[in-house]
Amino acid sequence: MELYLNATSPYARLVRIVLLEKGLMDAVTLKWCDPWADDADLLKANPAGRIPALVTEEGTTLSESMLIAMYLDSLDNVKPTPPVLPTNSLSDVLHLAGLGQNLMDAAFTTVIARKHYGPEIDQSELGQRRARAMQRLLEQLNSELSGNPTAEPIHLGDIAIAVALEYLAFRLPEIRWKEAHPQLAAWHASVTARTSFQQTVFT
């Protein structure tokens, strides 16, 4: 398999973490690229020019990080691993994964909007709406996860939320979510101590 990615995409990082947790890294060739440069190989794999994009052994290209994660979770590998989408708690896991995805989307869209239109875009109606959404999501996550240690094995909801929080700290440090939500910060620290997070730090 081939995975098109870069080192700053939260979506690509989510997929890399799933690969590590599933013991599938040896089955994938990482294809580092710049999606903003209209990389020819990436466009051939995914005409939308977005990462991550996974080319399967059969030559099928999958896009969207959550869909790729679902596919990887379905693969049988030599060393069986716990599912990141456990069927016995699927609705709870998908609920948390959705919160993480929404936070990731709001943060990523804010970063891209600033890149193309300058920081003043934050004062627009859309910019303010994104900011309010991030604050609400952080408050809900703090409420739902505080005092709730991460269960073993880790699941997709944990991964999505932790990656989104890492991305906030990486790209939007002015939000200072750790100071505002120390219990959520403690939960985050317990998740990101895992090897899969340590090996995929944003750079």
Side-chain angles (χ1 to χ4, degrees), residues 129-148:
R129 189 171 188 271
R130 285 192 294 265
R132 291 193 300 270
M134 285 188 281
Q135 291 303 324
R136 289 194 302 269
L137 285 161
L138 288 168
E139 290 168 6
Q140 182 166 345
L141 290 170
N142 187 65
S143 174
E144 292 196 24
L145 299 176
S146 292
N148 182 21

Side-chain angles (χ1 to χ4, degrees), residues 6-10 13 16 32 166-167 170-171 197-203:
N6 71 10
T8 60
S9 165
R13 188 179 182 191
R16 290 174 68 197
W32 300 96
E166 289 267 279
Y167 189 72
F170 175 57
R171 288 297 201 198
F197 280 83
Q198 296 297 312
Q199 293 182 356
T200 57
V201 173
F202 288 121
T203 57

Side-chain angles (χ1 to χ4, degrees), residues 34-91:
D34 179 3
W36 297 100
D38 287 341
D39 181 278
D41 289 338
L42 171 62
L43 292 177
K44 183 178 179 181
N46 181 11
R50 296 176 57 183
I51 56 173
L54 179 76
V55 182
T56 69
E57 293 288 352
E58 297 76 26
T60 303
T61 301
L62 305 178
S63 58
E64 303 302 326
S65 57
M66 290 292 180
L67 299 180
I68 295 172
M70 292 172 63
Y71 172 75
L72 294 174
D73 201 39
S74 74
L75 295 179
D76 293 324
N77 55 330
V78 176
K79 180 181 178 182
T81 54
V84 295
L85 285 165
T87 55
N88 62 341
S89 57
L90 185 60
S91 62

Side-chain angles (χ1 to χ4, degrees), residues 1-17:
M1 295 186 289
E2 295 180 339
L3 178 66
Y4 289 84
L5 74 166
N6 71 10
T8 60
S9 165
Y11 306 102
R13 188 179 182 191
L14 182 149
V15 171
R16 290 174 68 197
I17 290 169

Side-chain angles (χ1 to χ4, degrees), residues 11 14 50 64-67 95-107 137 157 160-161 164:
Y11 306 102
L14 182 149
R50 296 176 57 183
E64 303 302 326
S65 57
M66 290 292 180
L67 299 180
H95 163 71
L96 292 173
L99 293 177
Q101 178 82 55
N102 286 329
L103 182 58
M104 202 180 303
D105 289 346
L137 285 161
I161 292 167

